[in-house]
Amino acid sequence: MLVAQILAVAIFVIMFLLIVIDKIERHHITLACGLFVLVAVFGIAMRNVDAIVETLNLRSIFTLNFWYAAGEAEESSAGINWSTIIFIAGMMIMVEGMAKAGFFRWLCMRLAKLVHYKPIPLFVTFMIMSAGLAMFIDSITVILFLAAVTVELAKLLKFDPVPMILSEIFCANLGGSATMCGDPPNIIIGTSLGYSFSDFVTNTGIMAGISLVLVVVYFFFVYRKELMTEESAAIDPSTLPDPKEAIVSKSHFAISCVIFGCAVVMLVTHAQTGLTVALIGMVIAVITLFTSGKDALDILKRVDYKTLLFFVGLFMVVGGLEQTGILEIIAGFIGEVSGGNLKLMVAIIIWVSAVASAFVDNIPFAATMIPVIKSLAAAQGVDLETLAWALSMGTDIGGSATPIGASANVVGTSVAAKSGHPIGWGKYCKSAAPATIIVITVSMLFIFARYC
């Protein structure tokens, strides 16, 4: 077993380093490392076919509990979490359908018109909108469209788009932490531990809501000089494009809004209906493709399959650590360091998660830590939910601190750079790092007060 443990850790470390170096596409990295786990760790070192079967986890797809859970945990966290993959794929298809209909562009232009294109109200409105959209739609997609529209508005209204883009990025990550479907780490945590949409809203959602108020005030004070200067510039609204011009097809626009509404309703009520997120993702995808007609093939081509394959490989590598007992060892170490003190456990998990997620992708870190907190809760006799909320906030918010901490950060800064507004590490971290510390501190104190 020692050889298997060494191999599993070595493969995991190599995978993480290659992801950080970012010279090879990350789905190639995780798939190759996952294959090495199956062959070298399970096949050669352990000679355990059952470990391979459990890690691939294909049998779970053909069980009733996978599609209809009736309040039970949807799926074991062991191996590939197919619920997460199917749900994300379904949401990707829905979002592509909405984008093709012009939904996001229309929404941004409409809100800008409602605040009369004034920089300060626009700044605050776009932050709140970024957080609101990211509660239900992947933060990458939210920032991709918000940043592009922000750059366009900046050209029309003659203001610097960088402060607005940086605040939008942070708020998208913060909004994503509020719900089960907002950020990939939350999807993994929810499907692995059997938590519902309402569980997240009533726990991480409250923390995110309190933090959003503080963050909006914080970013306003950080950029108040630029905003005050831009506010004084007079712009004739009649020279600006009408939001209706963003709608490509009125029928497709209406249909995409209805589908989005149905997705929200199903997610909010899935604990009561028993519908799993895998089934919700599948239903939403099928309806979107069916109503898209001739555009269905184009929508399927636009789906980010590389991210889905990245997840598959990632879960296999983490499965190697789980099957060899490495994660139990880590949980035992945290238990010893904390001395069984729940507050200290929460502090360790939330701050270690935040710091790690600032420099490495928060998705693999969250997937790695889920079995750790399960073992920790079982061994120390503490409430698993408390540790889960600490992990969720740490991974979701920690990634906001640096330009590479979360995918939304990379997308937002790339859009700004392409428009002639490069954002270096110094400029990014100067505003984002303090905001991250504020939110992590607020979240930790909230968890102490409510659960410890």
Side-chain angles (χ1 to χ4, degrees), residues 66-145:
F66 184 84
W67 303 102
Y68 182 75
E72 301 171 14
E74 295 173 20
E75 183 184 352
S76 166
S77 63
I80 301 173
N81 191 323
W82 292 108
S83 287
T84 296
I85 292 166
I86 292 172
F87 175 69
I88 291 176
M91 295 303 281
M92 283 179 175
I93 290 171
M94 180 192 75
V95 166
E96 288 299 335
M98 293 173 72
K100 205 163 185 63
F103 175 83
F104 298 106
R105 187 176 174 79
W106 169 84
L107 180 62
C108 292
M109 298 301 290
R110 182 65 183 163
L111 286 174
K113 186 176 182 179
L114 284 174
V115 297
H116 306 292
Y117 303 99
K118 296 291 184 181
I120 292 177
L122 202 64
F123 183 77
V124 174
T125 302
F126 270 48
M127 273 195 283
I128 296 171
M129 178 172 62
S130 180
L133 285 174
M135 290 173 66
F136 304 101
I137 300 170
D138 179 59
S139 57
I140 301 169
T141 304
V142 171
I143 289 303
L144 189 63
F145 287 96

Coordinates of all heavy atoms in Angstrom, one line a residue, residues 66-145:
F66 N -29.6 8.1 -8.8 CA -28.8 9.1 -9.5 C -29.7 10.1 -10.1 O -29.3 11.3 -10.3 CB -28.0 8.3 -10.6 CG -27.1 9.2 -11.4 CD1 -25.8 9.5 -10.9 CD2 -27.5 9.8 -12.6 CE1 -24.9 10.4 -11.7 CE2 -26.6 10.6 -13.3 CZ -25.4 10.9 -12.8
W67 N -30.9 9.7 -10.6 CA -31.8 10.6 -11.3 C -32.9 11.1 -10.4 O -33.4 12.2 -10.6 CB -32.4 9.9 -12.5 CG -31.4 9.4 -13.4 CD1 -30.9 8.1 -13.5 CD2 -30.6 10.1 -14.4 NE1 -29.9 8.0 -14.5 CE2 -29.7 9.2 -15.0 CE3 -30.6 11.5 -14.7 CZ2 -28.8 9.6 -16.0 CZ3 -29.7 11.9 -15.7 CH2 -28.8 11.0 -16.3
Y68 N -33.3 10.3 -9.4 CA -34.4 10.7 -8.5 C -33.9 10.3 -7.0 O -34.0 9.1 -6.7 CB -35.7 10.0 -8.9 CG -36.8 10.4 -8.0 CD1 -37.4 11.6 -8.1 CD2 -37.3 9.5 -7.0 CE1 -38.5 12.0 -7.3 CE2 -38.4 9.9 -6.2 CZ -39.0 11.2 -6.4 OH -40.0 11.5 -5.6
A69 N -33.6 11.3 -6.2 CA -33.0 11.0 -4.9 C -34.0 11.1 -3.8 O -33.7 10.5 -2.7 CB -31.8 12.0 -4.7
A70 N -35.1 11.8 -3.9 CA -36.1 12.0 -2.9 C -35.5 12.4 -1.6 O -35.8 11.9 -0.5 CB -36.9 10.7 -2.7
G71 N -34.6 13.4 -1.6 CA -34.0 14.0 -0.4 C -32.8 13.3 0.1 O -32.1 13.7 1.0
E72 N -32.4 12.1 -0.5 CA -31.2 11.4 -0.1 C -30.0 12.0 -0.8 O -30.1 12.7 -1.8 CB -31.3 9.9 -0.4 CG -32.5 9.3 0.3 CD -32.7 7.8 -0.2 OE1 -31.8 7.3 -0.8 OE2 -33.8 7.3 0.1
A73 N -28.8 11.6 -0.3 CA -27.6 12.0 -1.0 C -27.6 11.4 -2.4 O -27.9 10.3 -2.6 CB -26.3 11.5 -0.3
E74 N -27.3 12.3 -3.4 CA -27.5 11.9 -4.8 C -26.4 10.9 -5.2 O -26.7 10.0 -6.0 CB -27.4 13.1 -5.7 CG -28.5 14.0 -5.5 CD -28.4 15.3 -6.3 OE1 -27.6 15.3 -7.3 OE2 -29.0 16.3 -5.9
E75 N -25.2 11.0 -4.7 CA -24.1 10.1 -5.2 C -23.0 10.1 -4.3 O -22.7 11.1 -3.6 CB -23.7 10.7 -6.6 CG -22.6 9.9 -7.2 CD -22.1 10.5 -8.5 OE1 -22.7 11.5 -9.0 OE2 -21.1 10.0 -9.1
S76 N -22.3 9.0 -4.2 CA -21.1 9.0 -3.3 C -20.0 9.8 -3.9 O -19.9 10.0 -5.1 CB -20.6 7.5 -3.3 OG -19.3 7.4 -2.8
S77 N -19.2 10.4 -3.1 CA -18.1 11.3 -3.5 C -16.9 10.5 -4.1 O -16.0 11.0 -4.7 CB -17.6 12.2 -2.4 OG -17.0 11.4 -1.4
A78 N -17.0 9.1 -4.0 CA -15.9 8.3 -4.5 C -15.8 8.3 -6.0 O -16.8 8.1 -6.7 CB -16.0 6.9 -4.0
G79 N -14.6 8.6 -6.6 CA -14.5 8.5 -8.0 C -15.1 9.7 -8.8 O -15.3 10.8 -8.2
I80 N -15.4 9.4 -10.0 CA -15.9 10.4 -10.9 C -17.4 10.8 -10.5 O -18.2 10.0 -10.4 CB -15.9 9.9 -12.4 CG1 -14.5 9.6 -12.8 CG2 -16.5 11.0 -13.3 CD1 -14.4 8.9 -14.2
N81 N -17.6 12.1 -10.2 CA -18.9 12.6 -9.8 C -19.7 12.9 -11.1 O -19.6 14.1 -11.6 CB -18.7 13.8 -8.9 CG -20.0 14.2 -8.3 OD1 -21.1 14.1 -8.9 ND2 -19.9 14.7 -7.0
W82 N -20.4 12.0 -11.7 CA -21.1 12.2 -12.9 C -22.2 13.2 -12.8 O -22.6 13.8 -13.8 CB -21.6 10.8 -13.5 CG -20.5 9.9 -13.9 CD1 -20.0 8.8 -13.3 CD2 -19.6 10.1 -15.0 NE1 -19.0 8.2 -13.9 CE2 -18.7 9.0 -15.0 CE3 -19.6 11.0 -16.1 CZ2 -17.7 8.8 -16.0 CZ3 -18.6 10.9 -17.0 CH2 -17.7 9.8 -17.0
S83 N -22.8 13.3 -11.6 CA -23.9 14.3 -11.4 C -23.3 15.7 -11.7 O -24.0 16.5 -12.4 CB -24.3 14.3 -9.9 OG -25.1 13.1 -9.6
T84 N -22.2 16.0 -11.2 CA -21.5 17.3 -11.5 C -21.3 17.6 -13.0 O -21.7 18.6 -13.5 CB -20.2 17.4 -10.7 OG1 -20.4 17.4 -9.3 CG2 -19.5 18.7 -11.1
I85 N -20.8 16.5 -13.6 CA -20.5 16.7 -15.1 C -21.7 16.8 -15.9 O -21.8 17.7 -16.8 CB -19.6 15.4 -15.5 CG1 -18.2 15.5 -14.8 CG2 -19.5 15.4 -17.0 CD1 -17.5 14.2 -14.9
I86 N -22.7 16.0 -15.7 CA -24.0 16.1 -16.4 C -24.7 17.5 -16.2 O -25.2 18.1 -17.1 CB -24.9 14.9 -16.1 CG1 -24.3 13.6 -16.7 CG2 -26.3 15.1 -16.8 CD1 -25.0 12.4 -16.2
F87 N -24.7 17.9 -14.9 CA -25.4 19.2 -14.6 C -24.7 20.3 -15.3 O -25.3 21.2 -15.9 CB -25.4 19.3 -13.1 CG -25.9 20.7 -12.7 CD1 -27.3 21.0 -12.9 CD2 -25.1 21.6 -12.1 CE1 -27.8 22.2 -12.5 CE2 -25.6 22.9 -11.8 CZ -27.0 23.2 -11.9
I88 N -23.3 20.4 -15.2 CA -22.6 21.5 -15.8 C -22.8 21.5 -17.3 O -22.9 22.6 -17.9 CB -21.1 21.4 -15.4 CG1 -20.9 21.7 -13.9 CG2 -20.3 22.4 -16.3 CD1 -19.5 21.5 -13.5
A89 N -22.8 20.3 -17.9 CA -23.0 20.2 -19.4 C -24.4 20.8 -19.7 O -24.5 21.5 -20.7 CB -22.9 18.8 -19.8
G90 N -25.4 20.4 -19.0 CA -26.7 20.9 -19.2 C -26.8 22.4 -19.1 O -27.5 23.1 -19.9
M91 N -26.2 23.0 -18.1 CA -26.2 24.4 -17.9 C -25.4 25.2 -19.0 O -25.8 26.3 -19.4 CB -25.6 24.8 -16.5 CG -26.5 24.3 -15.3 SD -28.2 24.9 -15.3 CE -28.0 26.5 -14.7
M92 N -24.3 24.5 -19.4 CA -23.6 25.1 -20.5 C -24.4 25.3 -21.8 O -24.4 26.3 -22.5 CB -22.4 24.2 -20.9 CG -21.2 24.4 -19.9 SD -19.8 23.3 -20.4 CE -18.6 23.7 -19.2
I93 N -25.2 24.2 -22.1 CA -26.1 24.2 -23.3 C -27.1 25.3 -23.1 O -27.4 26.0 -24.1 CB -26.7 22.8 -23.5 CG1 -25.6 21.8 -23.9 CG2 -27.9 22.9 -24.5 CD1 -26.1 20.4 -23.9
M94 N -27.8 25.4 -21.9 CA -28.8 26.4 -21.7 C -28.2 27.8 -21.9 O -28.8 28.7 -22.5 CB -29.3 26.3 -20.3 CG -30.4 27.3 -19.9 SD -30.8 27.4 -18.2 CE -29.4 28.3 -17.5
V95 N -27.0 28.1 -21.3 CA -26.4 29.4 -21.4 C -26.0 29.8 -22.9 O -26.2 30.9 -23.3 CB -25.1 29.4 -20.5 CG1 -24.2 30.6 -20.8 CG2 -25.5 29.4 -19.1
E96 N -25.6 28.8 -23.6 CA -25.2 29.0 -25.0 C -26.5 29.4 -25.8 O -26.5 30.3 -26.7 CB -24.6 27.8 -25.7 CG -23.2 27.5 -25.2 CD -22.2 28.6 -25.6 OE1 -22.5 29.4 -26.5 OE2 -21.2 28.8 -24.9
G97 N -27.6 28.8 -25.5 CA -28.9 29.1 -26.1 C -29.3 30.5 -25.7 O -29.8 31.3 -26.6
M98 N -29.2 30.9 -24.5 CA -29.5 32.3 -24.0 C -28.6 33.3 -24.7 O -29.1 34.4 -25.1 CB -29.4 32.4 -22.5 CG -30.4 31.5 -21.7 SD -30.0 31.5 -20.0 CE -30.5 33.2 -19.5
A99 N -27.3 33.0 -24.8 CA -26.4 33.9 -25.4 C -26.7 34.1 -26.9 O -26.7 35.3 -27.4 CB -25.0 33.4 -25.3
K100 N -27.1 33.1 -27.6 CA -27.4 33.1 -29.0 C -28.6 34.0 -29.3 O -28.8 34.6 -30.3 CB -27.6 31.7 -29.6 CG -27.4 31.6 -31.0 CD -27.2 30.2 -31.5 CE -26.8 30.0 -32.9 NZ -25.5 30.7 -33.3
A101 N -29.6 34.0 -28.3 CA -30.8 34.8 -28.4 C -30.5 36.3 -28.1 O -31.4 37.1 -28.3 CB -31.9 34.2 -27.5
G102 N -29.4 36.6 -27.5 CA -29.0 38.0 -27.2 C -29.4 38.4 -25.8 O -29.5 39.6 -25.4
F103 N -29.7 37.4 -24.9 CA -30.2 37.7 -23.6 C -29.3 38.5 -22.7 O -29.7 39.6 -22.2 CB -30.5 36.4 -22.8 CG -30.9 36.6 -21.4 CD1 -32.3 36.8 -21.1 CD2 -30.0 36.5 -20.3 CE1 -32.6 37.0 -19.7 CE2 -30.4 36.7 -19.0 CZ -31.7 36.9 -18.7
F104 N -28.0 38.1 -22.7 CA -27.0 38.8 -21.8 C -26.8 40.2 -22.2 O -26.7 41.2 -21.4 CB -25.7 38.0 -21.7 CG -25.9 36.6 -21.1 CD1 -25.9 35.5 -21.9 CD2 -26.2 36.5 -19.8 CE1 -26.1 34.3 -21.4 CE2 -26.4 35.2 -19.2 CZ -26.3 34.1 -20.0
R105 N -26.6 40.4 -23.5 CA -26.3 41.7 -24.1 C -27.5 42.7 -23.8 O -27.3 43.8 -23.4 CB -26.0 41.6 -25.6 CG -25.5 42.9 -26.2 CD -25.2 42.7 -27.7 NE -24.8 43.9 -28.3 CZ -23.7 44.5 -28.2 NH1 -22.7 44.0 -27.4 NH2 -23.5 45.7 -28.8
W106 N -28.7 42.1 -24.1 CA -29.9 42.9 -23.8 C -30.0 43.4 -22.4 O -30.3 44.5 -22.0 CB -31.1 42.1 -24.2 CG -32.4 42.8 -23.7 CD1 -33.1 43.7 -24.4 CD2 -33.1 42.5 -22.5 NE1 -34.2 44.1 -23.6 CE2 -34.3 43.3 -22.5 CE3 -32.9 41.6 -21.5 CZ2 -35.2 43.3 -21.4 CZ3 -33.8 41.6 -20.4 CH2 -34.9 42.4 -20.4
L107 N -29.8 42.4 -21.4 CA -29.9 42.7 -20.0 C -28.9 43.8 -19.6 O -29.3 44.8 -18.9 CB -29.6 41.4 -19.2 CG -29.7 41.6 -17.7 CD1 -31.1 42.0 -17.2 CD2 -29.3 40.3 -17.0
C108 N -27.7 43.7 -20.0 CA -26.7 44.7 -19.7 C -27.1 46.1 -20.2 O -27.0 47.1 -19.5 CB -25.3 44.3 -20.2 SG -24.6 42.9 -19.5
M109 N -27.5 46.2 -21.5 CA -27.8 47.5 -22.1 C -29.1 48.0 -21.5 O -29.2 49.3 -21.3 CB -28.0 47.3 -23.6 CG -26.8 46.8 -24.4 SD -25.3 47.9 -24.2 CE -25.9 49.3 -25.2
R110 N -30.0 47.2 -21.1 CA -31.2 47.6 -20.5 C -31.0 48.3 -19.1 O -31.5 49.3 -18.8 CB -32.2 46.4 -20.4 CG -33.6 46.8 -19.8 CD -34.3 47.7 -20.7 NE -35.6 48.1 -20.2 CZ -36.3 49.1 -20.6 NH1 -35.9 49.8 -21.6 NH2 -37.5 49.4 -20.0
L111 N -30.2 47.6 -18.3 CA -29.8 48.1 -17.0 C -29.1 49.5 -17.1 O -29.3 50.4 -16.3 CB -29.1 47.1 -16.2 CG -29.9 45.9 -15.7 CD1 -28.9 44.9 -15.0 CD2 -30.9 46.4 -14.7
A112 N -28.2 49.5 -18.1 CA -27.4 50.7 -18.3 C -28.3 51.9 -18.6 O -28.2 53.0 -18.2 CB -26.4 50.5 -19.4
K113 N -29.3 51.6 -19.5 CA -30.3 52.7 -19.8 C -31.1 53.1 -18.6 O -31.5 54.3 -18.5 CB -31.2 52.1 -21.0 CG -32.1 53.2 -21.5 CD -32.9 52.7 -22.7 CE -33.8 53.7 -23.3 NZ -34.6 53.2 -24.5
L114 N -31.5 52.1 -17.8 CA -32.3 52.4 -16.6 C -31.7 53.4 -15.6 O -32.3 54.2 -15.0 CB -32.7 51.1 -15.9 CG -33.8 50.3 -16.5 CD1 -34.0 49.0 -15.8 CD2 -35.2 51.0 -16.6
V115 N -30.3 53.3 -15.5 CA -29.6 54.2 -14.6 C -29.0 55.4 -15.4 O -28.2 56.1 -14.9 CB -28.4 53.5 -13.9 CG1 -29.0 52.4 -13.0 CG2 -27.4 52.9 -14.9
H116 N -29.6 55.6 -16.6 CA -29.3 56.8 -17.4 C -27.8 56.9 -17.8 O -27.2 58.0 -17.9 CB -29.7 58.1 -16.7 CG -31.2 58.1 -16.4 ND1 -32.2 58.1 -17.3 CD2 -31.8 58.0 -15.2 CE1 -33.4 58.0 -16.7 NE2 -33.2 58.0 -15.4
Y117 N -27.1 55.7 -17.9 CA -25.7 55.6 -18.3 C -24.8 56.4 -17.4 O -23.7 56.9 -17.8 CB -25.6 56.1 -19.7 CG -26.4 55.3 -20.7 CD1 -27.6 55.8 -21.1 CD2 -26.1 54.0 -21.1 CE1 -28.4 55.1 -22.0 CE2 -26.9 53.3 -22.0 CZ -28.0 53.8 -22.4 OH -28.8 53.1 -23.3
K118 N -25.1 56.7 -16.1 CA -24.3 57.4 -15.2 C -23.3 56.4 -14.6 O -23.6 55.3 -14.1 CB -25.1 58.0 -14.0 CG -26.1 59.1 -14.5 CD -25.4 60.3 -14.9 CE -26.4 61.4 -15.3 NZ -25.7 62.6 -15.7
P119 N -22.0 56.7 -14.6 CA -20.9 55.8 -14.2 C -21.1 55.2 -12.7 O -20.9 54.0 -12.5 CB -19.6 56.7 -14.3 CG -19.9 57.6 -15.4 CD -21.4 57.9 -15.2
I120 N -21.5 56.1 -11.8 CA -21.6 55.5 -10.4 C -22.7 54.5 -10.2 O -22.5 53.4 -9.8 CB -21.7 56.7 -9.4 CG1 -20.4 57.5 -9.3 CG2 -22.0 56.2 -8.0 CD1 -20.4 58.7 -8.4
P121 N -24.0 54.9 -10.6 CA -25.0 53.9 -10.6 C -24.8 52.7 -11.4 O -25.1 51.6 -11.1 CB -26.3 54.7 -11.1 CG -25.9 56.1 -10.9 CD -24.5 56.2 -11.1
L122 N -24.1 52.9 -12.6 CA -23.7 51.8 -13.5 C -22.7 50.9 -12.8 O -22.9 49.6 -12.9 CB -23.1 52.4 -14.7 CG -23.1 51.5 -16.0 CD1 -24.5 51.3 -16.5 CD2 -22.3 52.3 -17.1
F123 N -21.8 51.4 -12.1 CA -20.8 50.7 -11.4 C -21.4 49.8 -10.3 O -21.1 48.6 -10.2 CB -19.8 51.7 -10.7 CG -18.7 51.1 -9.9 CD1 -17.6 50.6 -10.6 CD2 -18.7 51.0 -8.5 CE1 -16.5 50.0 -9.9 CE2 -17.6 50.5 -7.8 CZ -16.5 50.0 -8.5
V124 N -22.3 50.3 -9.5 CA -23.0 49.6 -8.5 C -23.9 48.6 -9.1 O -24.0 47.4 -8.6 CB -23.8 50.5 -7.5 CG1 -24.6 49.7 -6.5 CG2 -22.8 51.5 -6.8
T125 N -24.7 49.0 -10.1 CA -25.7 48.1 -10.7 C -25.0 46.8 -11.3 O -25.5 45.7 -11.2 CB -26.5 48.8 -11.8 OG1 -27.1 49.9 -11.2 CG2 -27.5 47.9 -12.5
F126 N -23.9 47.1 -12.0 CA -23.2 45.9 -12.7 C -22.6 45.0 -11.7 O -22.5 43.8 -11.9 CB -22.2 46.5 -13.7 CG -22.7 46.7 -15.1 CD1 -23.9 47.4 -15.2 CD2 -22.1 46.2 -16.2 CE1 -24.4 47.6 -16.5 CE2 -22.6 46.4 -17.5 CZ -23.8 47.1 -17.6
M127 N -22.1 45.5 -10.5 CA -21.6 44.6 -9.5 C -22.7 43.7 -8.9 O -22.5 42.5 -8.8 CB -21.0 45.5 -8.3 CG -19.6 45.9 -8.5 SD -18.9 46.5 -7.0 CE -19.5 48.1 -6.8
I128 N -23.9 44.3 -8.7 CA -25.0 43.5 -8.1 C -25.5 42.6 -9.2 O -25.8 41.4 -8.9 CB -26.2 44.5 -7.7 CG1 -25.7 45.4 -6.5 CG2 -27.4 43.7 -7.3 CD1 -26.6 46.5 -6.1
M129 N -25.6 43.0 -10.4 CA -26.0 42.1 -11.5 C -25.0 40.9 -11.7 O -25.5 39.8 -11.9 CB -26.1 42.9 -12.8 CG -26.5 42.0 -14.0 SD -26.9 42.9 -15.5 CE -25.4 43.7 -15.9
S130 N -23.8 41.2 -11.6 CA -22.7 40.2 -11.7 C -22.9 39.1 -10.7 O -22.9 37.9 -11.0 CB -21.3 40.8 -11.6 OG -20.3 39.8 -11.7
A131 N -23.2 39.6 -9.4 CA -23.4 38.6 -8.3 C -24.7 37.8 -8.5 O -24.8 36.6 -8.3 CB -23.4 39.3 -7.0
G132 N -25.8 38.6 -9.0 CA -27.1 37.9 -9.2 C -27.1 36.9 -10.2 O -27.6 35.8 -10.1
L133 N -26.5 37.2 -11.4 CA -26.4 36.2 -12.5 C -25.5 35.0 -12.1 O -25.9 33.9 -12.5 CB -25.8 36.9 -13.7 CG -26.7 37.9 -14.5 CD1 -26.0 38.6 -15.6 CD2 -27.9 37.1 -15.1
A134 N -24.4 35.3 -11.4 CA -23.5 34.2 -11.1 C -24.1 33.2 -10.1 O -23.6 32.1 -9.9 CB -22.2 34.8 -10.5
M135 N -25.2 33.6 -9.4 CA -25.9 32.6 -8.5 C -26.5 31.5 -9.3 O -26.7 30.4 -8.8 CB -27.0 33.4 -7.8 CG -26.5 34.3 -6.7 SD -27.9 35.3 -6.0 CE -28.8 34.0 -5.1
F136 N -26.8 31.7 -10.6 CA -27.5 30.6 -11.4 C -26.7 30.2 -12.6 O -27.0 29.2 -13.2 CB -28.9 31.1 -11.8 CG -29.7 31.6 -10.6 CD1 -29.9 32.9 -10.3 CD2 -30.3 30.6 -9.8 CE1 -30.6 33.3 -9.2 CE2 -31.1 31.0 -8.7 CZ -31.2 32.4 -8.4
I137 N -25.8 31.1 -13.1 CA -25.1 30.8 -14.3 C -23.6 30.8 -14.0 O -23.1 31.6 -13.2 CB -25.4 31.9 -15.4 CG1 -26.9 31.9 -15.7 CG2 -24.6 31.7 -16.7 CD1 -27.3 33.1 -16.5
D138 N -22.9 30.0 -14.7 CA -21.4 29.9 -14.5 C -20.8 31.3 -14.5 O -21.0 32.0 -15.5 CB -20.8 29.0 -15.6 CG -19.3 28.8 -15.4 OD1 -18.9 28.4 -14.4 OD2 -18.6 29.2 -16.4
S139 N -19.9 31.5 -13.6 CA -19.3 32.9 -13.4 C -18.4 33.2 -14.7 O -18.3 34.4 -15.0 CB -18.4 32.9 -12.2 OG -17.5 31.9 -12.1
I140 N -17.9 32.2 -15.3 CA -17.1 32.4 -16.5 C -17.9 33.1 -17.6 O -17.5 34.1 -18.2 CB -16.5 31.1 -17.1 CG1 -15.6 30.4 -16.0 CG2 -15.7 31.4 -18.3 CD1 -15.2 29.0 -16.4
T141 N -19.1 32.5 -17.8 CA -20.0 33.0 -18.8 C -20.5 34.5 -18.4 O -20.6 35.3 -19.3 CB -21.3 32.1 -19.0 OG1 -20.8 30.8 -19.3 CG2 -22.2 32.6 -20.0
V142 N -20.8 34.6 -17.2 CA -21.3 35.9 -16.7 C -20.2 37.0 -17.0 O -20.5 38.1 -17.6 CB -21.5 35.9 -15.2 CG1 -21.8 37.3 -14.6 CG2 -22.7 35.0 -14.9
I143 N -19.0 36.8 -16.7 CA -17.9 37.7 -16.9 C -17.6 37.9 -18.3 O -17.3 39.0 -18.8 CB -16.6 37.3 -16.1 CG1 -16.8 37.5 -14.6 CG2 -15.4 38.1 -16.5 CD1 -17.2 38.9 -14.2
L144 N -17.7 36.9 -19.1 CA -17.4 37.0 -20.5 C -18.3 38.0 -21.2 O -17.8 38.9 -22.0 CB -17.6 35.6 -21.2 CG -17.1 35.4 -22.6 CD1 -15.6 35.6 -22.7 CD2 -17.5 34.1 -23.2
F145 N -19.6 38.0 -20.9 CA -20.5 38.9 -21.5 C -20.5 40.3 -20.8 O -20.5 41.3 -21.4 CB -21.9 38.3 -21.5 CG -22.1 37.2 -22.5 CD1 -22.0 35.9 -22.1 CD2 -22.4 37.5 -23.8 CE1 -22.1 34.9 -23.0 CE2 -22.5 36.5 -24.7 CZ -22.4 35.2 -24.3

